[in-house]
Amino acid sequence: MFDLTTVGKYLVQEGSSLQSQYLDLLTLRFERWWEDLSEGLEVYGSRFTEDHMSRLVRMIVKHACERPEDLRRLDEVRVLRPNWFQSQKMVGYATYVDRFAGTLKGLQQRIDYLEELGVTYLHLMPLLQPRSGDSDGGYAVQDYSKVRADLGTMEDLEDLATSLRRRGISLVMDLVLNHVAMEHQWAQKAREGDEFYRDFFLVFPDREIPDQYERTLPEVFPDFAPGNFTFDEALDGWVWTTFNSFQWDLNWANPEVFLAFVDIVLSLANRGVEVLRLDAIAFLWKRIGTDCQNQPEVHEITKALRAVARIVAPGLIFKAEAIVGPSDLIAYLGVGHNRGKVCDLAYHNSLMVQIWSMFAARDVRLGAFALGKIPSKAPTSAWITYLRCHDDIGWAIDDLDAASVGLDGYAHRKFLSDFYSGEFIGSYAEGLVFQANPLTGDRRISGSAASLAGISRAGDDRQLLDLAICRIAASYSLVMAFGGIPVIWMGDEVGLLNDDHWSEEEGHQGDNRWVHRPKMDWNLVDDKGVHEVNQRILNKLMHLIGVRKGLMALDAAVETEVLDIIDPSILPLIRRHHEGSLMILTNVSEGVRYYPISEIFNNGISRPYDALSSQYLKADQNGYVKFEPYDHYWILQGE
Ligand code: GLC
């Protein structure tokens, strides 16, 4: 539809005010990413007009002119080292600004703490101006150009990004692009009858089409927001609302929505954001007769956005928040003609779910099977590995996977919900059921890592506490050693428990995910020695982080392989790096287990050395290595 020569001419016209050297660079980048951009824009066909294209180029030039000098320098650094985010030195942390440090300025005072932890990537939960009252934790944005007033200003955000960058920490922020708050000015204008903005949303005059869609659509919040459409009086129609009724899905088939987001993406990049988390990206494109997730157009739109970002801000990378099955997930990291062209990072939801599942079952067979069959990702990309985040845990256990290891999927999912809600007899966990859905039998779980892993239920029982601490360490060991950027959910490092007062805050009633979004308790960190349990957890995590940073085999370009199961409670993983393999063995049970040392030898490690304990592994007279409860070894070839 457009050719590079014509578009290149726009660039020269628009860019006449740019320094000639910079215009040259921009032109080179434009040429480099033109194929991605034009391929991506094909989803719009003839709806993407000359006018759109010239406005797009104008926007590119405007933001390129505004890009601050130090960020242009960062761009050069990133271009020279495009695999920066794959390094084993990367460690992430995710938190709400207010719950961690009060304000953006307050957060400046906590950078030392993050640095001491070894953090190089900081995801700040939604902080742009949300609607008032319930805003789904900030995921209902009212104004993308402002920071939530009680947290600070855009200038504070810029200052923070700069301070973080100077300390080697990349700022990560959400880009909520599937929906906006119904109070956003686009929605308000649509409600006032403005046709241009009505077309920003998916509005239907009656139930005919919505009912057709509903036949194949799942419900995200069946409890507090059943259905996927909401009737709005002012619109006199049904508007698409996948999440809450106040979060209006955008019509991404409209090129105006694309242009509006180009502006937002580039503005955030110019404030110093280095990673954009593409929230709920799977839902962007709707197609009747499907679940309206993971449609191919989603990847094309991501590709076009990414190409634009690469032209203006090559330092910026994209992270997919797609909580979908592994076979769909892999496409977010680029497959086929999209390899290397969409997101660089994606949450490894399956790993998270399987970790909780293996520990509850004291059995790794299902986890090993499910993880073992995940297709390998593009070598230029990386997983985000995590144990907990701000969301609930949905039991994404595939029926066929379960059947392959002799389990019934439904029964296992039920077991996990019962176990982690604490209803299962003998369970050590203390969690809450989130969004029970009687139709599907789904019962997701809320709860902090420490409470789900048994710290709260252990009470003062030393032995139970010891076990719970080891369980957390073993779980986090998998997060740290699986490969990718491990992200610590705020408070996990000191074992913060469930917040029993979660429902008392305005707008939080009814959404029990707030149970695991407590305020940071700085006393636990500061009063060294007073809170022994918390200190022990912190020490264990810091140790894992320290060792991780020195292990080249943890570079994210290397894939993790699952080895054959010898003992059902020991998960055997290997990362075959060309400089030497790393074998990761984890006992997911509180039992004493044994593993044949010959298996380690067979994987090319003849002098097994555990990097975590700095000791050589020894076998007993029968040739077995002993595992105490929750023992985990990171095994390398010794000298
Ligand atoms: C993502 C967020 C979740 C939010 C949803 C809607 O899944 O992680 O917290 O409710 O998107 O924005």
Side-chain angles (χ1 to χ4, degrees):
M1 58 183 193
F2 297 98
D3 63 79
L4 179 58
T5 330
T6 330
V7 177
K9 276 191 207 133
Y10 294 155
L11 190 64
V12 175
Q13 276 164 23
E14 293 295 331
S16 55
S17 57
L18 284 172
Q19 251 183 351
S20 70
Q21 243 179 334
Y22 192 49
L23 180 60
D24 275 352
L25 182 62
L26 213 56
T27 312
L28 284 178
R29 289 191 200 147
F30 210 96
E31 285 167 8
R32 168 65 183 89
W33 302 114
W34 170 250
E35 187 183 272
D36 295 22
L37 178 59
S38 55
E39 260 177 33
L41 291 178
E42 273 170 31
V43 296
Y44 296 114
S46 58
R47 282 197 80 181
F48 205 91
T49 61
E50 288 263 345
D51 173 56
H52 289 126
M53 188 50 101
S54 72
R55 280 161 56 206
L56 175 61
V57 175
R58 220 177 302 151
M59 227 181 264
I60 288 177
V61 172
K62 170 178 167 280
H63 288 284
C65 287
E66 288 168 4
R67 187 139 176 93
E69 207 41 60
D70 59 335
L71 292 175
R72 289 191 198 176
R73 190 158 188 282
L74 175 78
D75 291 336
E76 294 311 310
V77 173
R78 297 301 193 223
V79 169
L80 292 171
R81 202 188 291 280
N83 56 351
W84 63 276
F85 58 87
Q86 293 189 307
S87 160
Q88 71 277 8
K89 298 210 164 68
M90 292 295 292
V91 171
Y93 195 84
T95 187
Y96 291 95
V97 175
D98 50 345
R99 304 179 98 68
F100 184 66
T103 60
L104 290 167
K105 281 209 170 87
L107 213 149
Q108 298 259 11
Q109 314 306 316
R110 297 296 181 184
I111 301 180
D112 286 348
Y113 173 72
L114 295 171
E115 203 174 29
E116 222 177 295
L117 255 185
V119 169
T120 60
Y121 157 119
L122 178 64
H123 173 201
L124 296 181
M125 297 300 292
L127 54 85
L128 299 180
Q129 191 190 308
R131 73 193 290 267
S132 43
D134 184 1
S135 64
D136 187 21
Y139 284 102
V141 182
Q142 183 174 339
D143 190 341
Y144 289 80
S145 66
K146 293 202 180 87
V147 166
R148 208 176 94 189
D150 59 316
L151 301 180
T153 62
M154 264 298 173
E155 288 63 43
D156 294 343
L157 181 66
E158 251 173 88
D159 290 347
L160 178 64
T162 308
S163 311
L164 289 169
R165 196 162 53 250
R166 293 199 178 127
R167 310 278 285 270
I169 303 175
S170 298
L171 176 62
V172 185
M173 265 179 64
D174 282 272
L175 179 71
V176 186
L177 76 179
N178 177 67
H179 43 263
V180 293
M182 63 181 287
E183 290 77 7
H184 190 285
Q185 62 160 347
W186 302 334
Q188 286 311 307
K189 288 199 172 138
R191 301 182 91 215
E192 285 157 17
D194 186 327
E195 286 301 319
F196 178 81
Y197 285 104
R198 190 180 174 96
D199 197 25
F200 269 48
F201 302 95
L202 297 140
V203 188
F204 305 91
D206 52 43
R207 287 291 312 183
E208 192 190 333
I209 310 263
D211 284 343
Q212 284 177 33
Y213 275 112
E214 284 287 14
R215 264 175 231 141
T216 50
L217 279 176
E219 289 176 308
V220 179
F221 296 142
D223 247 14
F224 47 62
N228 287 276
F229 300 87
T230 303
F231 186 78
D232 185 81
E233 295 281 348
L235 289 177
D236 191 22
W238 293 86
V239 60
W240 199 305
T241 53
T242 301
F243 295 88
N244 289 288
S245 54
F246 53 76
Q247 288 163 301
W248 288 14
D249 285 41
L250 288 157
N251 173 17
W252 273 90
N254 177 357
E256 293 294 342
V257 170
F258 175 82
L259 285 187
F261 271 90
V262 165
D263 200 29
I264 295 171
V265 167
L266 298 182
S267 304
L268 290 174
N270 279 355
R271 302 291 182 170
V273 177
E274 294 184 34
V275 182
L276 277 180
R277 172 190 182 275
L278 308 188
D279 179 64
I281 179 76
F283 296 87
L284 239 53
W285 196 270
K286 327 290 187 192
R287 176 166 281 114
I288 217 140
T290 71
D291 62 0
C292 296
Q293 292 184 48
N294 314 311
Q295 298 299 307
E297 289 83 351
V298 170
H299 306 299
E300 298 306 312
I301 290 170
T302 309
K303 180 164 61 179
L305 277 179
R306 185 68 202 281
V308 172
R310 278 173 151 158
I311 294 167
V312 179
L316 180 75
I317 63 169
F318 282 6
K319 169 173 68 160
E321 191 255 342
I323 308 305
V324 301
S327 51
D328 288 318
L329 180 58
I330 212 79
Y332 290 86
L333 292 174
V335 291
H337 72 289
N338 283 341
R339 213 174 162 93
K341 298 182 168 192
V342 282
C343 295
D344 309 274
L345 304 171
Y347 286 92
H348 202 323
N349 179 60
S350 191
L351 174 68
M352 185 274 289
V353 168
Q354 296 298 347
I355 292 176
W356 289 108
S357 166
M358 289 186 286
F359 280 83
R362 282 80 165 175
D363 193 313
V364 303
R365 283 172 290 190
L366 171 60
F369 182 83
L371 294 172
K373 72 179 234 270
I374 295 182
S376 54
K377 56 174 180 45
T380 50
S381 62
W383 292 119
I384 294 294
T385 60
Y386 63 114
L387 188 62
R388 288 301 290 116
C389 69
H390 68 291
D391 277 329
D392 51 287
I393 309 174
W395 300 114
I397 302 284
D398 186 82
D399 283 339
L400 291 176
D401 290 354
S404 308
V405 296
L407 292 174
D408 175 73
Y410 183 88
H412 188 64
R413 289 190 293 272
K414 177 167 180 347
F415 159 70
L416 292 171
S417 302
D418 290 349
F419 189 90
Y420 284 110
S421 65
E423 290 159 39
F424 189 84
I425 295 176
S427 163
Y428 48 70
E430 194 168 77
L432 297 176
V433 172
F434 179 71
Q435 305 289 325
N437 186 344
L439 284 179
T440 57
D442 242 14
R443 291 163 83 234
R444 286 137 65 183
I445 291 288
S446 294
S448 77
S451 290
L452 296 180
I455 299 282
S456 32
R457 279 194 112 165
D460 291 332
D461 187 315
R462 299 298 314 171
Q463 224 178 337
L464 293 182
L465 274 175
D466 285 349
L467 283 175
I469 293 171
C470 292
R471 205 175 282 131
I472 293 174
S475 308
Y476 258 105
S477 152
L478 285 170
V479 169
M480 294 289 168
F482 190 84
I485 306 181
V487 178
I488 300 168
W489 176 238
M490 187 271 274
D492 280 7
E493 74 278 21
V494 286
L496 278 198
L497 300 177
N498 285 345
D499 176 4
D500 292 333
H501 302 284
W502 65 270
S503 64
E504 289 164 20
E505 264 171 82
E506 174 64 21
H508 295 182
Q509 304 86 346
D511 186 343
N512 69 26
R513 288 176 296 175
W514 288 100
V515 81
H516 54 256
R517 301 168 179 177
K519 294 207 170 87
M520 183 59 169
D521 184 349
W522 289 104
N523 290 326
L524 300 181
V525 179
D526 298 337
D527 301 354
K528 290 208 170 35
V530 178
H531 303 279
E532 191 225 343
V533 170
N534 312 85
Q535 277 298 321
R536 279 171 67 196
I537 297 174
L538 184 59
N539 292 344
K540 285 200 185 269
L541 251 70
M542 289 190 68
H543 180 61
L544 290 168
I545 293 170
V547 177
R548 171 187 155 87
K549 292 199 180 223
L551 294 181
M552 275 205 297
L554 287 176
D555 185 293
V558 176
E559 285 290 305
T560 290
E561 292 167 44
V562 183
L563 297 170
D564 288 344
I565 305 300
I566 310 292
D567 179 298
S569 291
I570 296 183
L571 181 70
L573 303 174
I574 192 160
R575 298 178 54 78
R576 299 183 207 272
H577 189 273
H578 61 272
E579 300 259 343
S581 295
L582 171 70
M583 209 166 154
I584 301 137
L585 295 176
T586 311
N587 176 6
V588 301
S589 80
E590 56 273 80
V592 173
R593 319 295 304 189
Y594 295 90
Y595 192 83
I597 201 158
S598 55
E599 284 296 317
I600 304 175
F601 297 157
N602 290 344
N603 279 292
I605 303 179
S606 56
R607 274 180 58 70
Y609 174 79
D610 172 32
L612 287 174
S613 60
S614 308
Q615 277 178 5
Y616 284 91
L617 286 188
K618 289 201 188 65
D620 60 17
Q621 69 271 35
N622 299 318
Y624 283 85
V625 179
K626 185 176 179 188
F627 282 72
E628 298 293 344
Y630 302 115
D631 263 355
H632 42 280
Y633 299 130
W634 293 2
I635 308 163
L636 301 163
Q637 171 71 349
E639 306 275 290

